[in-house]
Amino acid sequence: MSNGIDQSLEGIERMPLKLFSEKAYLDYSMYVILDRALPHIGDGLKPVQRRIIYAMSELGLSAASKHKKSARTVGDVLGKFHPHGDTACYEAMVLMAQSFSYRYPLVDGQGNWGSPDDPKSFAAMRYTEARLTRYAQVLLSELGQGTVDWSPNFDGTLNEPRMLPARLPNLLLNGASGIAVGMATDVPPHNLREVASACIRLLDSPKSTLEELCEHIKGPDYPTEAEIITPGDELLKMYRSGVGNVRMRARYEREQGDIVINALPHQVSGAKVLEQISQQMQARKLPMVEDLRDESDHENPTRLVIVPRSNRIDVERLMSHLFATTDLERSYRVNVNVIGLNGRPQVKNLRDLLEEWLKFRYETVRRRLEHRLGKVRDRLHLLDGLLIAYLNIDEVIRIIRTEDEPLPVLMERFGLTEVQANYVLDTKLRQLARLEEIKIRTEQDELARERDWLEKTLGSRQRMKTLIRKEIQSDAEAYGDGRRSPIVSRGAAEAFNELELAPSEPVTVVLSEKGWARSAKGHDIDPAGLSYRAGDKFLDMARMRSNQSVVFLDSSGRSYSVQAHTLPSARSQGEPLTGRLTPPAGATFISVLGGDPDQWLLAASDAGYGFLVQLKDLLTKNKAGKSLLNLPGGARVLAPSRVYDPATDRVVAISNEGRMLVFPASQLPALSRGKGNKIIGIPTKRLQAREEFVVAISCVPRGGSLTAHSGKRHINLKARDLDSYEGERGRRGNKLPRGFQKVDSVTVEG
């Protein structure tokens, strides 16, 4: 230590930890965003992809060459340009070779490069071989023509291109995905011909709107042949904002009653889809499916067979359920976040992206033409000097033989530049002697015409546009193909509910006086003959199908519903409804209903008020039920009676005093809840004192009859007998014959 300062720390920069960590994290973030995860708008590639393609081109692995081991390529990439892990580099190379991952693959692989069922199942790089595809020439053909900037590699021993001179907007054609720090990108692939057509439209009409460009680009085009079902307005919105979602749905067809799936959404595994369907079958959630088979082979890469249980199965409804519950339908996020020409990441809409790429292409073509113009001018300059030397060959030879320094003598004698004089001196004598004046002049003429064309093209923006248009059209013809993913309009997928999944069997739901419920198979059982708990007995029953909902009505006028197939078997004594439902305190269950949800019912109270209601209006998912009938003070709920036809039925109401009134059911309102209208007139004081009230209400169909039971006696009233009791709704009604004025119940015969 000296003067309180540690000499070993001299010259070391000191920085607060807060500032250092902020700077380090910011530097790391910018590196990940700009040099790893996000593609550039020019060639649509990330750095590792660009380096792989460039390294393969340097190895001479063109589409016309033989395949070479992938390890050779990966070794060159890591050793020369990309000092990172070999696994990550090889996986990036594999992705560019998979025809089911890339719309237009850049690498032509030989060996095991994975499968749609398991893209990660590719062989190690020491086993596989690769070369570039023909399409890769779109990125590489202009590389050595002065079109791009070059930068030193990581150790400064080599140069690598900062960008590849793409002749087409590869970013849109193959798409891109990546996760950076604080941002991500997901660009879907598109069809080459459609994108080329949109570029030409924008070249010809720079003021074209997004809607006009979307006349050419209908939507994304994935490598698989599954359907894109995203509506057109949503696709337009996605292209306008650069953010959105694309939904894909598998394609299927019918073959001899079987369902054959022949196209899956992008990056969906057929094995996983079969596993998802199989799990539902094991959980008994797909009773309408009997068998599954995977018949995929080399000729049919995707062929999944679903065998329905019978020909009566609604195939469209079944597939709608599978679309909603499996990967047969999939949504893909779209986020067109790319690095622009200004070097900054930004989410771009379709028009801005195409416009910016055309600027990149214009600049690339300009640099290519200027580079070529410089080469042509240099060659013409050399040819001028060579022609002078040829015309004065003897003098040139003499000067070279006699002069110690022939260069300045040649320059002074013939007016040559240093470059021309050196070229003459570097030319072998036998080559110079063999040259003919006509050949030199022919080459000069050809180069002069090319120079003039280059100068005219570079001097005219319209000529440049025409050249770019022709090159885009040429590439579209050479590499383009038809759309693979059709864009169609489909309804939303909908999964089965529990009722649809339940088997449809005839059942009878039995309700006891104590509120215990159970379900017996069939409609021919004797509910009174079932065993009940001590002190309990049969109250009511309803015949229906097992996949329908059963409705219970309580004494407070509330209705409840449960699914019939969830009730316990009639072999047991059932279960209390209070375990599933929560009726008001003191309320008891008085009736059970079931059957067709569109069935009409007559809901009424013994105060003589009621209305017509459909069974489906009594259904509810609320355990506390829903209010159905509003009861006047002291009134009680009557069991609802079936309405056969609201237009022709007649309502029959009988009071405990033996009065009966008959009137058309059409005079009652159709409500979903409420008190209803007056059916039969009962004096208010007698009603409040419970001296007079309604004991039975039923609907009798046209031509039907009614039997009134009074103790052990009964009376049968046919249609013409009921006519004598017909009156206006709300009247007191007429007295029944003596001996039948204490009616217990009524039954209706159709």
Side-chain angles (χ1 to χ4, degrees):
M1 296 289 289
S2 176
N3 299 326
I5 300 176
D6 188 349
Q7 299 297 323
S8 63
L9 298 179
E10 288 185 4
I12 295 178
E13 181 182 359
R14 295 182 178 226
M15 181 184 293
L17 182 61
K18 177 177 181 293
L19 295 179
F20 172 79
S21 57
E22 284 182 0
K23 182 178 183 301
Y25 187 72
L26 182 61
D27 290 345
Y28 166 74
S29 301
M30 294 305 295
Y31 166 75
V32 171
I33 292 170
L34 300 178
D35 292 324
R36 185 188 296 179
L38 300 189
H40 193 280
I41 195 171
D43 57 11
L45 300 175
K46 303 176 189 178
V48 64
Q49 297 170 326
R50 188 178 300 120
R51 287 164 175 166
I52 290 171
I53 294 170
Y54 175 63
M56 292 182 73
S57 70
E58 288 294 286
L59 284 170
L61 296 177
S62 67
S65 69
K66 290 184 178 180
H67 294 80
K68 283 188 180 179
K69 287 289 185 183
S70 302
R72 174 76 182 275
T73 298
V74 173
D76 264 36
V77 173
L78 301 186
K80 294 180 179 179
F81 310 113
H82 197 71
H84 295 274
D86 59 338
T87 302
C89 179
Y90 182 49
E91 286 190 4
M93 181 178 174
V94 167
L95 194 68
M96 292 190 290
Q98 292 176 336
S99 59
F100 51 86
S101 295
Y102 257 48
R103 182 63 179 85
Y104 299 96
L106 294 164
V107 176
D108 176 17
Q110 188 169 272
N112 178 12
W113 289 81
S115 66
D117 277 344
D118 187 6
K120 298 284 187 180
S121 62
F122 51 84
M125 57 184 167
R126 61 182 177 273
Y127 299 119
T128 60
E129 298 177 344
R131 65 183 178 188
L132 293 170
T133 61
R134 285 181 60 249
Y135 172 77
Q137 288 304 303
V138 169
L139 303 174
L140 293 167
S141 61
E142 299 176 355
L143 187 58
Q145 301 178 24
T147 51
V148 294
D149 295 328
W150 297 72
S151 60
N153 68 341
F154 62 90
D155 61 2
T157 58
L158 296 168
N159 286 329
E160 61 175 316
R162 292 185 178 179
M163 197 70 49
L164 294 183
R167 295 164 60 93
L168 292 169
N170 181 64
L171 175 65
L172 277 177
L173 302 185
N174 274 321
S177 63
I179 300 175
V181 178
M183 60 179 63
T185 184
D186 286 285
V187 183
H190 290 78
N191 184 268
L192 192 154
R193 290 176 179 169
E194 292 181 5
V195 173
S197 178
C199 289
I200 293 171
R201 173 71 174 266
L202 196 56
L203 268 175
D204 294 338
S205 306
K207 294 184 179 180
S208 295
T209 63
L210 180 70
E211 288 77 6
E212 291 172 337
L213 294 177
C214 285
E215 293 175 4
H216 302 270
I217 301 178
K218 307 294 185 182
D221 187 23
Y222 290 89
T224 60
E225 297 178 358
E227 299 173 340
I228 294 176
I229 61 171
T230 306
D233 57 340
E234 290 188 23
L235 290 174
L236 188 63
K237 183 179 178 182
M238 176 191 77
Y239 284 129
R240 182 176 290 112
S241 64
V243 177
N245 286 281
V246 176
R247 295 193 70 80
M248 290 194 80
R249 179 177 289 183
R251 296 172 65 184
Y252 70 94
E253 56 187 20
R254 301 293 303 277
E255 283 188 11
Q256 299 177 349
D258 295 342
I259 304 168
V260 179
I261 299 169
N262 49 31
L264 293 172
H266 182 48
Q267 294 178 333
V268 168
S269 163
K272 184 178 179 182
V273 168
L274 290 179
E275 181 183 353
Q276 291 172 333
I277 299 175
S278 178
Q279 287 175 351
Q280 293 191 39
M281 293 174 65
Q282 291 173 3
R284 298 185 178 181
K285 292 184 177 179
L286 275 180
M288 61 287 296
V289 175
E290 183 177 3
D291 191 21
L292 289 176
R293 293 195 304 271
D294 186 354
E295 298 182 354
S296 304
D297 54 25
H298 182 70
E299 293 182 0
N300 302 289
T302 300
R303 183 178 170 84
L304 309 181
V305 181
I306 302 173
V307 182
R309 194 166 292 277
S310 73
N311 291 331
R312 296 188 303 274
I313 299 296
D314 186 346
V315 172
E316 289 190 6
R317 185 70 187 89
L318 169 61
M319 292 306 297
S320 179
H321 168 79
L322 294 178
F323 291 142
T325 57
T326 69
D327 284 345
L328 287 176
E329 182 174 318
R330 194 167 176 180
S331 180
Y332 301 88
R333 190 169 66 98
V334 174
N335 182 24
V336 189
N337 187 12
V338 298
I339 300 172
L341 297 181
N342 58 3
R344 297 179 180 179
Q346 183 183 0
V347 177
K348 299 182 183 294
N349 62 42
L350 179 64
R351 190 186 185 284
D352 290 346
L353 191 147
L354 289 176
E355 190 174 36
E356 194 163 341
W357 181 83
L358 286 173
K359 290 180 181 177
F360 166 81
R361 182 63 188 155
Y362 187 93
E363 180 64 17
T364 302
V365 172
R366 185 192 63 77
R367 292 180 62 167
R368 186 190 81 202
L369 296 183
E370 287 183 348
H371 179 267
R372 176 60 184 166
L373 181 59
K375 294 284 187 182
V376 169
R377 285 172 174 169
D378 291 345
R379 180 62 180 167
L380 283 171
H381 185 61
L382 294 177
L383 288 176
D384 289 342
L386 199 60
L387 184 60
I388 293 173
Y390 176 79
L391 295 176
N392 301 277
I393 185 67
D394 294 334
E395 180 67 11
V396 169
I397 293 173
R398 187 194 65 77
I399 293 173
I400 294 173
R401 290 187 62 187
T402 59
E403 297 293 336
D404 294 334
E405 294 291 337
L407 180 66
V409 177
L410 286 173
M411 293 171 61
E412 183 179 355
R413 174 71 179 80
F414 301 109
L416 302 177
T417 64
E418 186 175 352
V419 174
Q420 290 173 320
N422 276 322
Y423 185 68
V424 170
L425 291 173
D426 290 340
T427 303
K428 293 180 181 179
L429 184 61
R430 61 183 179 185
Q431 292 175 330
L432 190 62
R434 197 173 63 242
L435 286 175
E436 299 176 8
E437 180 183 0
I438 187 66
K439 289 184 177 180
I440 298 175
R441 294 194 182 279
T442 300
E443 186 178 357
Q444 279 182 322
D445 292 342
E446 291 176 355
L447 290 176
R449 285 195 296 272
E450 184 178 358
R451 178 195 60 202
D452 295 341
W453 179 84
L454 289 169
E455 289 175 346
K456 286 181 180 179
T457 303
L458 285 168
S460 168
R461 188 171 185 84
Q462 187 57 45
R463 285 175 177 266
M464 288 284 288
K465 284 186 176 182
T466 302
L467 176 62
I468 294 171
R469 183 194 305 110
K470 287 181 179 179
E471 290 178 350
I472 291 176
Q473 288 174 335
S474 174
D475 289 335
E477 291 176 5
Y479 305 107
D481 56 7
R483 168 172 281 277
R484 291 187 190 173
S485 303
I487 301 175
V488 296
S489 176
R490 301 288 188 200
E494 185 179 354
F496 287 133
N497 56 40
E498 273 194 79
L499 291 178
E500 290 177 292
L501 292 174
S504 180
E505 302 172 340
V507 294
T508 302
V509 177
V510 179
L511 176 67
S512 74
E513 287 187 347
K514 298 291 185 181
W516 285 59
R518 48 186 151 168
S519 175
K521 289 186 178 181
H523 287 168
D524 55 352
I525 68 160
D526 177 17
L530 298 175
S531 64
Y532 294 87
R533 299 172 70 250
D536 200 2
K537 61 180 180 179
F538 169 70
L539 175 63
D540 195 12
M541 71 173 185
R543 294 185 176 94
M544 65 188 72
R545 309 293 295 184
S546 59
N547 62 344
Q548 293 177 330
S549 291
V550 56
V551 175
F552 297 97
L553 195 64
D554 72 5
S555 57
S556 70
R558 299 185 71 82
S559 67
Y560 310 80
S561 59
V562 297
Q563 293 166 0
H565 73 276
T566 64
L567 293 174
S569 169
R571 295 176 183 174
S572 67
Q573 294 179 341
E575 67 176 53
L577 290 175
T578 51
R580 298 189 182 203
L581 310 173
T582 54
T588 58
F589 292 98
I590 64 166
S591 179
V592 58
L593 306 163
D596 183 2
D598 293 326
Q599 169 68 50
W600 285 94
L601 301 169
L602 172 57
S605 66
D606 65 0
Y609 290 85
F611 56 90
L612 302 182
V613 63
Q614 286 184 295
L615 182 62
K616 62 185 178 184
D617 292 326
L618 277 61
L619 301 178
T620 175
K621 294 182 180 180
N622 191 349
K623 288 185 176 182
K626 63 179 289 188
S627 176
L628 172 67
L629 201 59
N630 295 339
L631 299 176
R636 297 174 184 173
V637 179
L638 295 176
S641 58
R642 178 183 177 185
V643 179
Y644 299 89
D645 185 348
T648 61
D649 282 9
R650 289 193 289 181
V651 176
V652 178
I654 304 175
S655 72
N656 63 333
E657 292 293 325
R659 291 184 175 276
M660 185 169 80
L661 177 66
V662 179
F663 64 90
S666 58
Q667 293 184 8
L668 287 177
L671 305 174
S672 59
R673 54 175 292 182
K675 176 182 176 181
N677 288 2
K678 182 178 285 189
I679 295 175
I680 186 170
I682 299 176
T684 304
K685 289 184 179 180
R686 290 180 61 80
L687 182 64
Q688 292 175 346
R690 298 295 295 173
E691 294 176 355
E692 188 175 349
F693 49 86
V694 177
V695 293
I697 292 182
S698 286
C699 280
V700 181
R702 174 184 292 177
S705 62
L706 178 138
T707 301
H709 300 271
S710 179
K712 294 183 179 181
R713 303 174 65 187
H714 67 273
I715 182 173
N716 184 260
L717 301 171
K718 296 184 178 180
R720 62 177 178 271
D721 300 323
L722 295 175
D723 291 344
S724 59
Y725 293 92
E726 191 160 343
E728 294 183 12
R729 179 183 59 79
R731 295 290 186 177
R732 288 276 285 159
N734 297 329
K735 281 273 191 177
L736 285 166
R738 285 189 179 183
F740 296 98
Q741 295 180 2
K742 298 294 181 182
V743 175
D744 302 322
S745 62
V746 297
T747 56
V748 176
E749 291 83 30

